[in-house]
């Protein structure tokens, strides 16, 4: 099956493409291939020349703090142009050409003030980044049975490719001998990228629509995550230090305090999500590094 895709050279896109390359033929819509997703004319030409039944929209501006500093620009901000206007353009072209659209969203659309969120919960974004992603979701859901929103959280993969995920960033810091400060009161859900790829394949095969939370099973604090990584590296316990959510993010863009997405809906499809412990074991079975 042919797939049109944006953001296929990013952290998530690279590993999803590599995992699913035997199942799908990917056509990358990017500046490198002559497509500016913020330019409707170049997008329209790419759509008109493709008979791909699905579009994967992974591209997004995601630097939460930089985007927060741009919020006074509102609809003129780079984040709004990419995360909202480009998404709206792609959704409009999908409707025109009868293509299905898969949109990658985020746990950040929720404030984190609840203990757990399902697909039925109404988003309450706090940061400007989160607001742009929620607006993008709305564009996609207006496609009805041709629109699929996949919310992910804290993706990490078995290998490094392009932009580093949070696990490999922590590994790098510990290997440099740097201490890690991590909140012990914040909660989030790590998600193994090959699981995201498997879920995407299943959802595509079933022509799924609506919202799905494609996240792992384990709820962790950043301190717990960093501590587990330190154990695998043989690093000293003293290198990972506790701090509070309020202290760690003081003066920065709002983040969800308890970003716990429930994955019951995706598991009812029979998909098994890799535990964080097993994910680390897979990663470190490929590495020989210790501190």
């Amino acid at each position: 099956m042919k797939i049109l895709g944006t953001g296929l050279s990013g952290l998530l896109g690279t590993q999803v493409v590599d995992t699913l390359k035997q199942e799908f033929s990917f056509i990358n819509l990017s500046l490198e291939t002559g497509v500016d997703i913020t330019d409707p004319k170049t997008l329209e030409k790419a759509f008109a020349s493709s008979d791909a039944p699905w579009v994967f929209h992974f591209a997004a501006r995601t630097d939460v703090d930089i985007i927060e500093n741009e919020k006074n620009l509102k609809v003129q901000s780079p984040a709004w142009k990419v995360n909202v206007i480009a998404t709206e353009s792609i959704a409009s072209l999908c409707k025109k050409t009868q293509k299905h659209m898969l949109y990658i969203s985020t746990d950040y659309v929720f404030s984190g003030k609840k203990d757990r969120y399902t697909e039925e919960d109404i988003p309450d974004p706090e940061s400007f980044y989160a607001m742009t992603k929620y607006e993008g979701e709305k564009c996609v859901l207006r496609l009805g049975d041709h629109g699929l929103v996949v919310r992910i959280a804290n993706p990490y993969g078995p290998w490094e490719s392009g932009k580093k995920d949070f696990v490999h960033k922590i590994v790098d810091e510990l290997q440099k001998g740097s201490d890690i400060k991590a909140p012990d009161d914040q909660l989030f859900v790590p998600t193994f990228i090959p699981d995201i790829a498997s879920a995407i394949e299943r959802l595509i095969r079933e022509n799924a629509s609506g919202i799905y939370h494609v996240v792992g099973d384990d709820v962790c604090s950043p301190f717990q995550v960093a501590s587990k990584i330190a154990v695998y590296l043989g690093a000293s316990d003293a290198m990972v230090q506790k701090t509070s959510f309020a202290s760690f993010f003081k003066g920065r863009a709002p983040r969800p305090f308890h970003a716990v997405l429930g994955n019951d809906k995706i598991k009812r499809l029979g998909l098994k999500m890799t535990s964080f412990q097993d994910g680390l074991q897979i990663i470190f079975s490929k590495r020989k590094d210790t501190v």
Side-chain angles (χ1 to χ4, degrees), residues 118-143:
T118 71
E119 288 86 349
E120 285 71 43
D121 284 305
I122 298 173
D124 55 344
E126 293 198 326
S127 69
F128 188 57
Y129 160 69
M131 187 184 302
T132 65
K133 292 300 291 180
Y134 182 37
E135 290 300 318
E137 286 189 5
K138 294 176 186 177
C139 296
V140 178
L141 293 174
R142 283 196 287 269
L143 292 172

PDB file of all heavy atoms in Angstrom, residues 118-143:
ATOM      1  N   THR A 118      -8.912   9.097  29.083  1.00  0.00           N
ATOM      2  CA  THR A 118      -9.318   8.196  28.015  1.00  0.00           C
ATOM      3  C   THR A 118      -9.589   9.019  26.752  1.00  0.00           C
ATOM      4  O   THR A 118      -9.552  10.258  26.778  1.00  0.00           O
ATOM      5  CB  THR A 118     -10.603   7.425  28.381  1.00  0.00           C
ATOM      6  OG1 THR A 118     -11.720   8.336  28.360  1.00  0.00           O
ATOM      7  CG2 THR A 118     -10.483   6.792  29.761  1.00  0.00           C
ATOM      8  N   GLU A 119      -9.899   8.312  25.670  1.00  0.00           N
ATOM      9  CA  GLU A 119     -10.194   8.992  24.416  1.00  0.00           C
ATOM     10  C   GLU A 119     -11.465   9.824  24.503  1.00  0.00           C
ATOM     11  O   GLU A 119     -11.681  10.722  23.671  1.00  0.00           O
ATOM     12  CB  GLU A 119     -10.336   7.964  23.285  1.00  0.00           C
ATOM     13  CG  GLU A 119      -9.031   7.318  22.855  1.00  0.00           C
ATOM     14  CD  GLU A 119      -8.637   6.098  23.668  1.00  0.00           C
ATOM     15  OE1 GLU A 119      -9.270   5.853  24.732  1.00  0.00           O
ATOM     16  OE2 GLU A 119      -7.692   5.391  23.273  1.00  0.00           O
ATOM     17  N   GLU A 120     -12.306   9.561  25.486  1.00  0.00           N
ATOM     18  CA  GLU A 120     -13.564  10.306  25.621  1.00  0.00           C
ATOM     19  C   GLU A 120     -13.385  11.622  26.386  1.00  0.00           C
ATOM     20  O   GLU A 120     -14.276  12.473  26.366  1.00  0.00           O
ATOM     21  CB  GLU A 120     -14.615   9.452  26.347  1.00  0.00           C
ATOM     22  CG  GLU A 120     -15.215   8.359  25.483  1.00  0.00           C
ATOM     23  CD  GLU A 120     -14.246   7.228  25.180  1.00  0.00           C
ATOM     24  OE1 GLU A 120     -13.532   6.794  26.107  1.00  0.00           O
ATOM     25  OE2 GLU A 120     -14.174   6.808  24.004  1.00  0.00           O
ATOM     26  N   ASP A 121     -12.259  11.793  27.062  1.00  0.00           N
ATOM     27  CA  ASP A 121     -12.031  13.027  27.815  1.00  0.00           C
ATOM     28  C   ASP A 121     -11.808  14.205  26.866  1.00  0.00           C
ATOM     29  O   ASP A 121     -11.146  14.068  25.829  1.00  0.00           O
ATOM     30  CB  ASP A 121     -10.816  12.882  28.740  1.00  0.00           C
ATOM     31  CG  ASP A 121     -11.133  12.058  29.971  1.00  0.00           C
ATOM     32  OD1 ASP A 121     -12.095  12.411  30.686  1.00  0.00           O
ATOM     33  OD2 ASP A 121     -10.433  11.053  30.217  1.00  0.00           O
ATOM     34  N   ILE A 122     -12.349  15.353  27.249  1.00  0.00           N
ATOM     35  CA  ILE A 122     -12.208  16.559  26.432  1.00  0.00           C
ATOM     36  C   ILE A 122     -10.875  17.231  26.761  1.00  0.00           C
ATOM     37  O   ILE A 122     -10.588  17.507  27.924  1.00  0.00           O
ATOM     38  CB  ILE A 122     -13.368  17.536  26.687  1.00  0.00           C
ATOM     39  CG1 ILE A 122     -14.697  16.883  26.289  1.00  0.00           C
ATOM     40  CG2 ILE A 122     -13.164  18.833  25.909  1.00  0.00           C
ATOM     41  CD1 ILE A 122     -15.916  17.692  26.653  1.00  0.00           C
ATOM     42  N   PRO A 123     -10.027  17.474  25.758  1.00  0.00           N
ATOM     43  CA  PRO A 123      -8.735  18.120  26.015  1.00  0.00           C
ATOM     44  C   PRO A 123      -8.876  19.488  26.682  1.00  0.00           C
ATOM     45  O   PRO A 123      -9.856  20.203  26.458  1.00  0.00           O
ATOM     46  CB  PRO A 123      -8.126  18.242  24.611  1.00  0.00           C
ATOM     47  CG  PRO A 123      -8.728  17.110  23.850  1.00  0.00           C
ATOM     48  CD  PRO A 123     -10.150  17.033  24.350  1.00  0.00           C
ATOM     49  N   ASP A 124      -7.884  19.809  27.491  1.00  0.00           N
ATOM     50  CA  ASP A 124      -7.814  21.125  28.136  1.00  0.00           C
ATOM     51  C   ASP A 124      -6.367  21.609  28.083  1.00  0.00           C
ATOM     52  O   ASP A 124      -5.687  21.693  29.106  1.00  0.00           O
ATOM     53  CB  ASP A 124      -8.336  21.070  29.573  1.00  0.00           C
ATOM     54  CG  ASP A 124      -7.624  20.021  30.430  1.00  0.00           C
ATOM     55  OD1 ASP A 124      -6.943  19.135  29.856  1.00  0.00           O
ATOM     56  OD2 ASP A 124      -7.734  20.095  31.669  1.00  0.00           O
ATOM     57  N   PRO A 125      -5.867  21.899  26.889  1.00  0.00           N
ATOM     58  CA  PRO A 125      -4.444  22.245  26.720  1.00  0.00           C
ATOM     59  C   PRO A 125      -4.075  23.522  27.474  1.00  0.00           C
ATOM     60  O   PRO A 125      -4.863  24.463  27.558  1.00  0.00           O
ATOM     61  CB  PRO A 125      -4.310  22.444  25.210  1.00  0.00           C
ATOM     62  CG  PRO A 125      -5.683  22.798  24.742  1.00  0.00           C
ATOM     63  CD  PRO A 125      -6.620  22.027  25.625  1.00  0.00           C
ATOM     64  N   GLU A 126      -2.850  23.525  27.998  1.00  0.00           N
ATOM     65  CA  GLU A 126      -2.383  24.693  28.752  1.00  0.00           C
ATOM     66  C   GLU A 126      -1.298  25.469  28.019  1.00  0.00           C
ATOM     67  O   GLU A 126      -1.271  26.684  28.072  1.00  0.00           O
ATOM     68  CB  GLU A 126      -1.891  24.262  30.135  1.00  0.00           C
ATOM     69  CG  GLU A 126      -3.004  23.733  31.025  1.00  0.00           C
ATOM     70  CD  GLU A 126      -2.634  23.710  32.489  1.00  0.00           C
ATOM     71  OE1 GLU A 126      -1.443  23.470  32.792  1.00  0.00           O
ATOM     72  OE2 GLU A 126      -3.525  23.936  33.336  1.00  0.00           O
ATOM     73  N   SER A 127      -0.395  24.774  27.343  1.00  0.00           N
ATOM     74  CA  SER A 127       0.665  25.476  26.608  1.00  0.00           C
ATOM     75  C   SER A 127       0.179  25.841  25.213  1.00  0.00           C
ATOM     76  O   SER A 127      -0.806  25.280  24.711  1.00  0.00           O
ATOM     77  CB  SER A 127       1.909  24.601  26.509  1.00  0.00           C
ATOM     78  OG  SER A 127       1.672  23.496  25.652  1.00  0.00           O
ATOM     79  N   PHE A 128       0.885  26.776  24.578  1.00  0.00           N
ATOM     80  CA  PHE A 128       0.527  27.150  23.211  1.00  0.00           C
ATOM     81  C   PHE A 128       0.770  25.982  22.260  1.00  0.00           C
ATOM     82  O   PHE A 128      -0.009  25.751  21.332  1.00  0.00           O
ATOM     83  CB  PHE A 128       1.315  28.383  22.775  1.00  0.00           C
ATOM     84  CG  PHE A 128       0.875  28.963  21.463  1.00  0.00           C
ATOM     85  CD1 PHE A 128      -0.436  29.364  21.259  1.00  0.00           C
ATOM     86  CD2 PHE A 128       1.768  29.117  20.409  1.00  0.00           C
ATOM     87  CE1 PHE A 128      -0.859  29.885  20.046  1.00  0.00           C
ATOM     88  CE2 PHE A 128       1.368  29.646  19.192  1.00  0.00           C
ATOM     89  CZ  PHE A 128       0.047  30.039  19.014  1.00  0.00           C
ATOM     90  N   TYR A 129       1.843  25.233  22.490  1.00  0.00           N
ATOM     91  CA  TYR A 129       2.101  24.037  21.687  1.00  0.00           C
ATOM     92  C   TYR A 129       0.912  23.084  21.764  1.00  0.00           C
ATOM     93  O   TYR A 129       0.405  22.601  20.740  1.00  0.00           O
ATOM     94  CB  TYR A 129       3.355  23.320  22.195  1.00  0.00           C
ATOM     95  CG  TYR A 129       3.439  21.867  21.771  1.00  0.00           C
ATOM     96  CD1 TYR A 129       3.645  21.515  20.441  1.00  0.00           C
ATOM     97  CD2 TYR A 129       3.288  20.834  22.707  1.00  0.00           C
ATOM     98  CE1 TYR A 129       3.700  20.182  20.047  1.00  0.00           C
ATOM     99  CE2 TYR A 129       3.341  19.505  22.320  1.00  0.00           C
ATOM    100  CZ  TYR A 129       3.542  19.188  20.993  1.00  0.00           C
ATOM    101  OH  TYR A 129       3.596  17.861  20.610  1.00  0.00           O
ATOM    102  N   ALA A 130       0.454  22.802  22.989  1.00  0.00           N
ATOM    103  CA  ALA A 130      -0.661  21.877  23.173  1.00  0.00           C
ATOM    104  C   ALA A 130      -1.917  22.390  22.486  1.00  0.00           C
ATOM    105  O   ALA A 130      -2.684  21.608  21.902  1.00  0.00           O
ATOM    106  CB  ALA A 130      -0.913  21.667  24.665  1.00  0.00           C
ATOM    107  N   MET A 131      -2.117  23.702  22.533  1.00  0.00           N
ATOM    108  CA  MET A 131      -3.282  24.282  21.883  1.00  0.00           C
ATOM    109  C   MET A 131      -3.236  24.062  20.374  1.00  0.00           C
ATOM    110  O   MET A 131      -4.244  23.718  19.754  1.00  0.00           O
ATOM    111  CB  MET A 131      -3.355  25.784  22.189  1.00  0.00           C
ATOM    112  CG  MET A 131      -4.621  26.466  21.688  1.00  0.00           C
ATOM    113  SD  MET A 131      -4.566  28.256  21.990  1.00  0.00           S
ATOM    114  CE  MET A 131      -4.351  28.280  23.773  1.00  0.00           C
ATOM    115  N   THR A 132      -2.040  24.233  19.779  1.00  0.00           N
ATOM    116  CA  THR A 132      -1.934  24.041  18.333  1.00  0.00           C
ATOM    117  C   THR A 132      -2.196  22.586  17.948  1.00  0.00           C
ATOM    118  O   THR A 132      -2.814  22.302  16.914  1.00  0.00           O
ATOM    119  CB  THR A 132      -0.559  24.473  17.786  1.00  0.00           C
ATOM    120  OG1 THR A 132       0.475  23.623  18.308  1.00  0.00           O
ATOM    121  CG2 THR A 132      -0.251  25.924  18.133  1.00  0.00           C
ATOM    122  N   LYS A 133      -1.745  21.652  18.778  1.00  0.00           N
ATOM    123  CA  LYS A 133      -1.978  20.240  18.470  1.00  0.00           C
ATOM    124  C   LYS A 133      -3.455  19.881  18.607  1.00  0.00           C
ATOM    125  O   LYS A 133      -3.978  19.080  17.817  1.00  0.00           O
ATOM    126  CB  LYS A 133      -1.125  19.344  19.379  1.00  0.00           C
ATOM    127  CG  LYS A 133       0.373  19.434  19.107  1.00  0.00           C
ATOM    128  CD  LYS A 133       0.733  19.022  17.677  1.00  0.00           C
ATOM    129  CE  LYS A 133       0.531  17.549  17.421  1.00  0.00           C
ATOM    130  NZ  LYS A 133       0.893  17.172  16.022  1.00  0.00           N
ATOM    131  N   TYR A 134      -4.127  20.470  19.582  1.00  0.00           N
ATOM    132  CA  TYR A 134      -5.558  20.214  19.737  1.00  0.00           C
ATOM    133  C   TYR A 134      -6.350  20.782  18.556  1.00  0.00           C
ATOM    134  O   TYR A 134      -7.270  20.146  18.041  1.00  0.00           O
ATOM    135  CB  TYR A 134      -6.051  20.801  21.054  1.00  0.00           C
ATOM    136  CG  TYR A 134      -7.520  20.559  21.338  1.00  0.00           C
ATOM    137  CD1 TYR A 134      -8.145  19.365  20.980  1.00  0.00           C
ATOM    138  CD2 TYR A 134      -8.277  21.533  21.984  1.00  0.00           C
ATOM    139  CE1 TYR A 134      -9.488  19.150  21.253  1.00  0.00           C
ATOM    140  CE2 TYR A 134      -9.621  21.324  22.260  1.00  0.00           C
ATOM    141  CZ  TYR A 134     -10.221  20.132  21.891  1.00  0.00           C
ATOM    142  OH  TYR A 134     -11.549  19.924  22.158  1.00  0.00           O
ATOM    143  N   GLU A 135      -5.951  21.963  18.098  1.00  0.00           N
ATOM    144  CA  GLU A 135      -6.615  22.536  16.920  1.00  0.00           C
ATOM    145  C   GLU A 135      -6.395  21.645  15.702  1.00  0.00           C
ATOM    146  O   GLU A 135      -7.289  21.480  14.863  1.00  0.00           O
ATOM    147  CB  GLU A 135      -6.093  23.951  16.655  1.00  0.00           C
ATOM    148  CG  GLU A 135      -6.521  24.979  17.682  1.00  0.00           C
ATOM    149  CD  GLU A 135      -8.028  25.136  17.774  1.00  0.00           C
ATOM    150  OE1 GLU A 135      -8.693  25.159  16.719  1.00  0.00           O
ATOM    151  OE2 GLU A 135      -8.548  25.226  18.904  1.00  0.00           O
ATOM    152  N   GLY A 136      -5.207  21.058  15.596  1.00  0.00           N
ATOM    153  CA  GLY A 136      -4.939  20.113  14.513  1.00  0.00           C
ATOM    154  C   GLY A 136      -5.832  18.894  14.600  1.00  0.00           C
ATOM    155  O   GLY A 136      -6.345  18.402  13.578  1.00  0.00           O
ATOM    156  N   GLU A 137      -6.036  18.384  15.809  1.00  0.00           N
ATOM    157  CA  GLU A 137      -6.936  17.242  15.995  1.00  0.00           C
ATOM    158  C   GLU A 137      -8.333  17.550  15.443  1.00  0.00           C
ATOM    159  O   GLU A 137      -8.948  16.716  14.766  1.00  0.00           O
ATOM    160  CB  GLU A 137      -7.072  16.907  17.484  1.00  0.00           C
ATOM    161  CG  GLU A 137      -5.879  16.230  18.102  1.00  0.00           C
ATOM    162  CD  GLU A 137      -6.171  15.727  19.506  1.00  0.00           C
ATOM    163  OE1 GLU A 137      -7.329  15.819  19.971  1.00  0.00           O
ATOM    164  OE2 GLU A 137      -5.230  15.221  20.150  1.00  0.00           O
ATOM    165  N   LYS A 138      -8.824  18.734  15.755  1.00  0.00           N
ATOM    166  CA  LYS A 138     -10.170  19.111  15.322  1.00  0.00           C
ATOM    167  C   LYS A 138     -10.288  19.069  13.793  1.00  0.00           C
ATOM    168  O   LYS A 138     -11.300  18.620  13.248  1.00  0.00           O
ATOM    169  CB  LYS A 138     -10.517  20.506  15.832  1.00  0.00           C
ATOM    170  CG  LYS A 138     -10.650  20.616  17.342  1.00  0.00           C
ATOM    171  CD  LYS A 138     -10.912  22.084  17.719  1.00  0.00           C
ATOM    172  CE  LYS A 138     -10.905  22.307  19.196  1.00  0.00           C
ATOM    173  NZ  LYS A 138     -11.086  23.739  19.556  1.00  0.00           N
ATOM    174  N   CYS A 139      -9.230  19.554  13.117  1.00  0.00           N
ATOM    175  CA  CYS A 139      -9.242  19.545  11.642  1.00  0.00           C
ATOM    176  C   CYS A 139      -9.391  18.126  11.110  1.00  0.00           C
ATOM    177  O   CYS A 139     -10.131  17.876  10.148  1.00  0.00           O
ATOM    178  CB  CYS A 139      -7.944  20.151  11.102  1.00  0.00           C
ATOM    179  SG  CYS A 139      -7.680  21.897  11.497  1.00  0.00           S
ATOM    180  N   VAL A 140      -8.681  17.195  11.726  1.00  0.00           N
ATOM    181  CA  VAL A 140      -8.681  15.809  11.263  1.00  0.00           C
ATOM    182  C   VAL A 140     -10.005  15.113  11.584  1.00  0.00           C
ATOM    183  O   VAL A 140     -10.564  14.391  10.759  1.00  0.00           O
ATOM    184  CB  VAL A 140      -7.502  15.032  11.886  1.00  0.00           C
ATOM    185  CG1 VAL A 140      -7.515  13.576  11.451  1.00  0.00           C
ATOM    186  CG2 VAL A 140      -6.178  15.692  11.488  1.00  0.00           C
ATOM    187  N   LEU A 141     -10.528  15.344  12.774  1.00  0.00           N
ATOM    188  CA  LEU A 141     -11.766  14.679  13.181  1.00  0.00           C
ATOM    189  C   LEU A 141     -12.962  15.136  12.362  1.00  0.00           C
ATOM    190  O   LEU A 141     -13.962  14.405  12.244  1.00  0.00           O
ATOM    191  CB  LEU A 141     -12.008  14.905  14.674  1.00  0.00           C
ATOM    192  CG  LEU A 141     -10.984  14.226  15.604  1.00  0.00           C
ATOM    193  CD1 LEU A 141     -11.218  14.627  17.050  1.00  0.00           C
ATOM    194  CD2 LEU A 141     -11.042  12.703  15.453  1.00  0.00           C
ATOM    195  N   ARG A 142     -12.866  16.313  11.758  1.00  0.00           N
ATOM    196  CA  ARG A 142     -13.957  16.776  10.885  1.00  0.00           C
ATOM    197  C   ARG A 142     -14.064  15.933   9.614  1.00  0.00           C
ATOM    198  O   ARG A 142     -15.051  16.023   8.876  1.00  0.00           O
ATOM    199  CB  ARG A 142     -13.766  18.258  10.536  1.00  0.00           C
ATOM    200  CG  ARG A 142     -14.158  19.200  11.675  1.00  0.00           C
ATOM    201  CD  ARG A 142     -14.333  20.623  11.188  1.00  0.00           C
ATOM    202  NE  ARG A 142     -13.073  21.273  10.886  1.00  0.00           N
ATOM    203  CZ  ARG A 142     -12.365  21.990  11.765  1.00  0.00           C
ATOM    204  NH1 ARG A 142     -12.798  22.153  13.015  1.00  0.00           N
ATOM    205  NH2 ARG A 142     -11.223  22.559  11.408  1.00  0.00           N
ATOM    206  N   LEU A 143     -13.050  15.093   9.353  1.00  0.00           N
ATOM    207  CA  LEU A 143     -13.102  14.190   8.198  1.00  0.00           C
ATOM    208  C   LEU A 143     -14.010  12.986   8.451  1.00  0.00           C
ATOM    209  O   LEU A 143     -14.219  12.169   7.555  1.00  0.00           O
ATOM    210  CB  LEU A 143     -11.697  13.698   7.839  1.00  0.00           C
ATOM    211  CG  LEU A 143     -10.728  14.737   7.286  1.00  0.00           C
ATOM    212  CD1 LEU A 143      -9.328  14.145   7.157  1.00  0.00           C
ATOM    213  CD2 LEU A 143     -11.211  15.255   5.934  1.00  0.00           C
TER     214      LEU A 143
END
